[in-house]
Amino acid sequence: MLGGETRIARTKRKCLLATGFAALNLVISVPGVHGQTPTRRPTAAPATKAPARPKLVVLLVVDQMRGDYVDKFLHQWTGGLRRLVDEGAWFHEAAYPYATTETCVGHATISTGSFPSSHGMVSNTWWDRDSRKMVACTADPNAKNSGYAGVTAKGGDSAWRMQVPAFADELRFQTNGATRVVTFSLKARAAITMAGHKADAVTWADAGGWVTSSIYGAMPFIDQYAKAHPIKDDYGKTWTPTLPRNSYWYDEKSTGSVPPEGWDLTFPHSLRGKAAGDVPDPAFYEQWGSSPFSDTYLTKFAETAVDSLGLGQGGGIDFLAISYSAVDYVGHEFGPRSWEIQDILVRLDRDLSDLFAHLDKKVGRGNYVVALSSDHGVVPTPEDMQKTGADAGVFRLTELQERMEKALEPFGFPKPAIAQIATGEVYFAPDVYEKLRQNDKAMRAVIDAGLAQPGVAAIFRAEQVQNRPATQSPIQSAVANGYFPGRSGDLFIIPKPYWFMDRSPADKARSYGTSHSTPYNYDQHVPVLFMGFGIRHGEYFEAVTPADIAPTLAALCGITLATRDGHPLAPALAK
């Protein structure tokens, strides 16, 4: 049984999957797409007649890339990010309409075209009421992970908790069977949710190397590449500023930053671990993940997949997805107002230039379509905001839990009454919440205790957000769009703007400079960019969500999604 699922939720999942995989003969036609030549640079050679469908779909997710980064730094980009804007469709007002803006949630939303209230991936981790423990969104007791190039992998992961098929699942099933699906990331929850339930190669970083799951199987070319180019080959490299020093927007030393172990607050950042010895240590691999070298590695991995599998060169529509994680790590550590964020995007711009040039050569300019977005944004570091006079800060969930437990003491509830607080969602011990619903004074006491915590703006009860009720409150709607019965909490804690929740124990120092997972625009606003086959160049300002990406790709590929909360972005489709 899926962790925490009710009978209704299981039935819902089966119906959605059955609906999706039964859609073999349903085809969406896109008027006017056939025979059109995508926008391209004037210097490019004349394109040949465009195919009826794209030969390759490329999904790029830049973890924690705020939407305003494109506006701020576009003038400094000359490569792939710049090309997406110059040749493609740029949706300025793209934002997630839910509150739990996290990696697993965002990737699943992009991949399925639905919100967490439909796809069920409500957080990176959540409290499982049956097993009474925290579970990771991709953890699968029936899967076994395996490592490449001799790496020892632990646990097992898959997309089994994702309640609807991914776009890649539908593409494989509804086309002629020649589709190959390949995804890469530093994170399992990113690579897996992009791939869906079945794929040819799903690869992520772990234990100093690369791993996959028995659900997907291993690929020889990945093993060969991992052996020829181990991550440890980057040991001793140094990340230095790419641009002239006067080109960086903010102070060299970002306020409130908490860099990886072994790094200083300012450039240069040497990849020599904690001890700077002769061999890599665990701190080195953390540094590597926070450096542009990890983005470059993922790009080369993707290019190798194109060459080894002939992606985009066969008889079907292939799918290649990369989630770049380094921006997320850098953003957590140094914040959005840092030289490091600005610089790593310049480096990514160059990596994507290489990737697109490789695809132009191997697949053909105009034969592939690219979609780029992000899974979430990020809160400015509270110390940075406090300098402006704003009310900003961090509150510890451990302290919040203590307040709530104390408020319930006079009512005779068993201790602990709260089983877990995860990502601002309060899970009560078995039967406690039902008793609270029957005791208005106790419910009021526990909610008032939470509201008394500095930094808390509001608290919603599960019954206020289930079934996605119509409401004039954008915050309540955001919580409702992320609510999934059986997995979501009983109470939902909403921080004030520019505050975020810290999960670390009260006796531990904060382990990062800032975070996300709030229902505010700095966390919800992300870029949405398309380029290539069937895409009309332009800048668009209507409100859209990343859930619109999969329906748009489905329209271009002539397939039907099982369920969707998004819709095809018709203004960007060539006519």
Side-chain angles (χ1 to χ4, degrees), residues 148 151-152 205-211 226 229-232 284-285 288 297:
Y148 287 108
V151 168
T152 301
D206 192 19
W210 300 97
V211 303
H229 306 281
I231 294 173
K232 64 182 180 181
F284 157 74
Y285 292 104
W288 182 81
Y297 197 110

Side-chain angles (χ1 to χ4, degrees), residues 112-361:
T112 64
S114 60
F115 300 150
S117 52
S118 298
H119 61 62
M121 304 299 251
V122 296
S123 183
N124 290 341
T125 59
W126 59 82
W127 181 255
D128 181 73
R129 291 178 170 88
D130 288 341
S131 63
R132 300 187 185 182
K133 64 180 182 180
M134 294 293 291
V135 295
C137 64
T138 60
D140 184 350
N142 297 313
K144 183 175 177 58
N145 294 342
S146 60
Y148 287 108
V151 168
T152 301
K154 297 179 180 179
D157 290 273
S158 79
W160 78 296
R161 298 182 193 273
M162 199 160 72
Q163 302 294 291
V164 297
F167 164 81
D169 288 320
E170 300 286 19
L171 184 65
R172 286 170 63 94
F173 184 73
Q174 295 182 38
T175 53
N176 63 3
T179 294
R180 279 80 55 83
V181 174
V182 179
T183 67
F184 296 99
S185 181
L186 299 190
K187 302 178 181 180
R189 56 184 176 269
I192 288 171
T193 49
M194 293 190 301
H197 297 83
K198 297 291 182 181
D200 297 278
V202 180
T203 310
W204 62 92
D206 192 19
W210 300 97
V211 303
T212 187
S213 165
S214 57
I215 299 299
Y216 306 108
M219 273 283 177
F221 83 89
I222 298 177
D223 192 64
Q224 294 165 7
Y225 191 86
K227 288 177 179 177
H229 306 281
I231 294 173
K232 64 182 180 181
D233 280 358
D234 284 337
Y235 186 76
K237 289 184 177 180
T238 300
W239 178 16
T240 58
T242 308
L243 303 172
R245 297 180 67 85
N246 61 3
S247 298
Y248 292 91
W249 275 39
Y250 307 113
D251 292 337
E252 180 179 7
K253 182 178 179 181
S254 58
T255 305
S257 62
V258 182
E261 199 171 29
W263 279 8
D264 294 325
L265 295 173
T266 59
F267 281 117
H269 300 307
S270 176
L271 275 66
R272 296 188 60 84
K274 179 181 179 181
D278 296 329
V279 295
D281 60 7
F284 157 74
Y285 292 104
E286 180 184 355
Q287 295 168 353
W288 182 81
S290 300
S291 78
F293 304 115
S294 64
D295 284 346
T296 301
Y297 197 110
L298 288 171
T299 302
K300 296 303 180 185
F301 238 153
E303 292 173 1
T304 302
V306 170
D307 295 343
S308 300
L309 300 180
L311 298 181
Q313 302 159 63
I317 304 173
D318 292 325
F319 178 82
L320 171 65
I322 315 167
S323 176
Y324 291 101
S325 308
V327 172
D328 179 69
Y329 296 141
V330 169
H332 276 293
E333 294 153 357
F334 294 95
R337 289 167 48 88
S338 64
W339 283 29
E340 285 77 7
I341 278 291
Q342 191 171 346
D343 194 84
I344 204 163
L345 288 169
V346 170
R347 301 284 195 114
L348 180 61
D349 175 59
R350 297 179 181 183
D351 285 330
L352 293 183
S353 179
D354 292 341
L355 176 63
F356 296 157
H358 195 82
L359 294 176
D360 289 343
K361 179 180 178 181

